Amino acid sequence: MNVIRSLLIAAAAAVLAAPPAAAQTAPKLKVGLMLPASGTYAALGTAIENGFKLYVAEQGGKLAGREVEFAQVDDESDPAKATDNVNKLLKRDSVDVLVGSVHSGVAMAMAKVAKDTGTPLIVPNAGAAAVTGSMCAPNIFRSSFSNWQPGYAMGEVVAAKGHKNVVTITWHYAAGDESVRGFKEAFEKAGGKVVKELSLPFPNVEFQALLTEIAATKPDAVYTFFAGGGAVKFVKDYAAAGLKKSIPLYAAGFLTDGTLEAQGADAEGLLTTLHYADDLGTPRDKAFRLAYAKAYKVQPDVYAVQGYDAAQMLAAGLTAVKGDLTRKPEFDSAIENAKIDSPRGAFTLSRSHNPVQDIYLRQVVGKENKLVGVASKALADPGQGCSM
Ligand code: BEZ
């Protein structure tokens, strides 16, 4: 009898000693960051990571009560390695959520795996049409743009300036091709003509022969998509070839975002279109820029904003399900219906999960992409091929 009594007392003591359910710590949330840490897009990857981590730090390191930890791979902006890299995050590191990447080809490989496995994926840069088009899925979201968006907006701007014949030049892969396609669609709809489409393989930066061809063609203007290290070299080579004085250069804003320190005077005056500018001057953007500069000792760029907003989107989903990622439909629909309070200006997502956002016209003045105006208000990617 005494033995039974002591056992009961011990059991009761154990129950009392256990923390109440509410006080039990939620399991950590493992975020897999797949970004370039090397190559021409390395700086873009760093800015995205900084932006994402800044938002998490502002929430005390937790989203919906779950402490956030990271697993990372350098994807080298190499689509051939992308499937292996994303599987490392899923199988070796057992991540709960995927965030990546910069390069469109890498993001398409990530989207395929995310679609097959149902793992939530937030794309914090790559603009590939397929990600929010033919590959769209309830668990795939983008916090950045589609390649079409800045290109389309610039097509309207260049036509409105009265230019008739334009040569385009870019890297021949999804980002460059789709950016040019967006530009051409708007420019030709407005009566202009793209007379030559020049390209070179990614990440080649031997521009000389193509610049000679532009000089010989003598178009009214040039439209381009380049980003990162390649953008720095292109702007310098365009000026060194004497073309900046004779043929106006217009671009998707990646040409001059995060690159102005290195481009110096060769970028001065360039007009570009993008969903961010350095001097939006809103209280939201000012607070973000201050916090980012304090944390990282550099000014933020569009990539930092996209990383920050990817974390905001994840937080919106997690908050709705109180951190419980097994409640997938509720998690997905909370992100789908969220209004993201972005430094770029608040945005919502399209039916295919791409930001519906203002595209700004900017001009390089000193080391800043200064706001000229809104080139295209609440521009939505068509999301062609998306059915879900
Ligand atoms: C892309 O590959 O989609 C991309 C890369 C850098 C800047 C913008 C787009």
Side-chain angles (χ1 to χ4, degrees):
M1 190 62 189
N2 269 352
V3 174
I4 291 173
R5 197 161 166 265
S6 332
L7 281 175
L8 284 173
I9 289 168
V15 168
L16 287 174
Q24 271 168 12
T25 48
K28 288 183 182 173
L29 179 84
K30 207 161 187 186
V31 174
L33 288 181
M34 186 158 146
L35 295 166
S38 53
T40 198
Y41 288 161
L44 287 59
T46 303
I48 290 168
E49 179 183 336
N50 287 349
F52 193 99
K53 290 185 172 173
L54 176 64
Y55 182 78
V56 174
E58 286 175 355
Q59 314 313 305
K62 289 184 178 178
L63 298 181
R66 291 181 69 175
E67 195 181 319
V68 178
E69 61 176 5
F70 295 95
Q72 298 188 221
V73 286
D74 172 9
D75 68 36
E76 303 168 52
S77 294
D78 186 348
K81 297 180 183 162
T83 304
D84 282 349
N85 280 330
V86 74
N87 279 325
K88 267 186 216 158
L89 288 173
L90 288 177
K91 296 189 178 139
R92 181 193 65 190
D93 301 323
S94 305
V95 302
D96 301 299
V97 176
L98 289 165
V99 176
S101 184
V102 168
H103 184 287
S104 275
V106 173
M108 284 191 271
M110 293 184 80
K112 163 104 181 60
V113 175
K115 200 170 168 140
D116 291 348
T117 60
T119 312
L121 166 64
I122 302 177
V123 178
N125 184 70
V131 168
T132 56
S134 57
M135 304 178 83
C136 77
N139 59 316
I140 299 177
F141 303 91
R142 184 149 53 199
S143 67
S144 51
F145 59 91
S146 75
N147 294 318
W148 177 91
Q149 283 176 310
Y152 187 88
M154 189 48 106
E156 292 184 328
V157 169
V158 173
K161 287 199 175 289
H163 299 305
K164 296 288 177 225
N165 301 310
V166 165
V167 169
T168 63
I169 176 167
T170 189
W171 278 316
H172 179 36
Y173 82 103
D177 296 345
E178 291 169 7
S179 180
V180 165
R181 214 174 296 146
F183 173 84
K184 190 172 171 180
E185 183 185 330
F187 184 59
E188 296 200 336
K189 206 193 289 175
K193 180 95 196 108
V194 170
V195 291
K196 211 170 249 180
E197 295 182 32
L198 303 173
S199 65
L200 69 174
F202 174 87
N204 193 323
V205 289
E206 297 310 316
F207 301 120
Q208 213 44 58
L210 299 178
L211 293 175
T212 304
E213 203 173 335
I214 290 173
T217 308
K218 296 192 178 62
D220 297 342
V222 167
Y223 172 75
T224 190
F225 164 90
F226 288 109
V232 172
K233 175 129 190 322
F234 181 77
V235 164
K236 292 196 144 306
D237 287 5
Y238 196 84
L243 292 174
K244 188 166 179 236
K245 289 190 278 306
S246 52
I247 306 174
L249 178 65
Y250 299 94
F254 312 105
L255 190 75
T256 57
D257 234 78
T259 54
L260 291 176
E261 285 292 335
Q263 288 163 336
D266 290 338
E268 188 69 22
L270 290 180
L271 284 168
T272 65
T273 40
L274 205 62
H275 46 288
Y276 190 57
D278 291 322
D279 61 340
L280 291 177
T282 58
R284 181 72 181 98
D285 189 45
K286 278 185 180 167
F288 164 75
R289 294 186 74 87
L290 201 65
Y292 190 94
K294 201 168 157 204
Y296 302 111
K297 315 291 173 242
V298 288
Q299 289 299 319
D301 55 20
V302 71
Y303 308 105
V305 172
Q306 294 166 177
Y308 189 82
D309 292 342
Q312 293 209 70
M313 286 164 64
L314 177 58
L318 283 169
T319 303
V321 297
K322 299 192 170 47
D324 180 1
L325 270 176
T326 63
R327 293 163 60 185
K328 279 178 194 289
E330 287 165 81
F331 173 83
D332 293 343
S333 87
I335 302 182
E336 185 173 306
N337 295 309
K339 185 167 182 187
I340 302 299
D341 186 18
S342 171
R344 76 187 83 169
F347 70 84
T348 54
L349 294 178
S350 66
R351 184 186 51 85
S352 60
H353 298 173
N354 190 66
V356 178
Q357 55 194 340
D358 292 349
I359 305 293
Y360 303 109
L361 178 63
R362 313 105 48 87
Q363 183 158 39
V364 176
V365 179
K367 296 287 157 57
E368 284 199 340
N369 287 288
K370 291 251 185 220
L371 179 67
V372 176
V374 175
S376 207
K377 185 96 196 126
L379 186 64
D381 181 87
Q384 245 162 32
C386 172
S387 59
M388 62 171 160

